[in-house]
Amino acid sequence: MSDLPSDKEGLADFLDRLSFSDEPTDAPPRLPANEDIMVTTSIRLPLGLHSRLKSLADERRVGVSTLLREWAEAAVADIDDEDQMISLAEAKRALSRVHPIHRAS
């Protein structure tokens, strides 16, 4: 199934077929200034959450990766625009201390 050796003799044969050179090889082409290298990453999600994300992505006619990337970019941009980030729990605690305005009828 694989061209890689599975035993000591196969390894010796494999290594004998390798060739090395001091000549430079062609470098990969440079990326345009506005392009970035895409990196594959893996995350673990509960099945229910993944199903919901898939539904949302399907509604928008994009893949789950595209949807998550767009949301991550928006979240990072939002964080970068803020002076200081607070947790949701801190925000809820602060809002719970605000007294509602009572309006005269």
Side-chain angles (χ1 to χ4, degrees):
M1 284 194 243
S2 172
D3 291 337
L4 297 177
S6 59
D7 58 17
K8 188 175 178 180
E9 292 76 25
L11 177 61
D13 183 48
F14 177 79
L15 291 174
D16 287 341
R17 289 181 292 162
L18 294 178
S19 62
F20 300 93
S21 170
D22 290 332
E23 296 297 315
T25 59
D26 294 334
R30 286 187 173 268
L31 288 175
N34 60 346
E35 240 181 274
D36 200 0
I37 296 172
M38 299 300 275
V39 178
T40 300
T41 189
S42 175
I43 60 170
R44 294 183 182 275
L45 300 172
L47 180 59
L49 176 59
H50 183 268
S51 297
R52 182 67 178 123
L53 288 170
K54 178 81 171 106
S55 296
L56 291 168
D58 289 346
E59 288 172 15
R60 291 165 174 78
R61 292 189 169 100
V62 297
V64 174
S65 291
T66 301
L67 182 67
L68 290 174
R69 182 174 50 253
E70 289 172 356
W71 286 354
E73 288 170 349
V76 168
D78 191 40
I79 290 168
D80 288 347
D81 288 343
E82 295 293 323
D83 292 335
Q84 182 178 4
M85 196 171 104
I86 65 170
S87 71
L88 179 59
E90 290 171 318
K92 286 180 177 179
R93 220 177 0 262
L95 288 173
S96 70
R97 294 184 186 126
V98 175
H99 298 288
I101 297 174
H102 295 287
R103 297 186 181 174
S105 357

